Amino acid sequence: MAEPVRTASIAAKPQQRHEVRRADLPLSCPLPSQAVWNEHPRVYLPIENEGGHSQCPYCGTQYVLID
């Protein structure tokens, strides 16, 4: 009798939201200060062109420009 196929369970990450200031621009994800700097390739987000809100296409982290 064959064993049942087991699939790896991937825990969903809680969606994160970060507030950033103009002094933090250019904005990249992950942020240089984050311990997960090697989680995915660094991507620069055009937060000013997107009305002050950007979302990382890799991890879904949301960024909000507060000044």
Side-chain angles (χ1 to χ4, degrees):
M1 183 176 226
E3 288 189 35
V5 175
R6 296 178 189 250
T7 58
S9 150
I10 299 174
K13 287 186 174 184
Q15 193 149 35
Q16 295 186 13
R17 182 179 180 272
H18 294 282
E19 294 180 343
V20 294
R21 299 184 178 279
R22 292 189 190 280
D24 299 321
L25 302 180
L27 174 62
S28 65
C29 185
L31 294 169
S33 62
Q34 291 177 317
V36 294
W37 61 268
N38 65 346
E39 186 174 280
H40 61 68
R42 178 173 290 168
V43 59
Y44 287 90
L45 304 170
I47 195 165
E48 290 180 296
N49 297 339
E50 296 179 336
H53 297 272
S54 283
Q55 184 171 1
C56 177
Y58 287 101
C59 66
T61 299
Q62 296 181 11
Y63 295 92
V64 179
L65 189 60
I66 59 170
D67 68 355

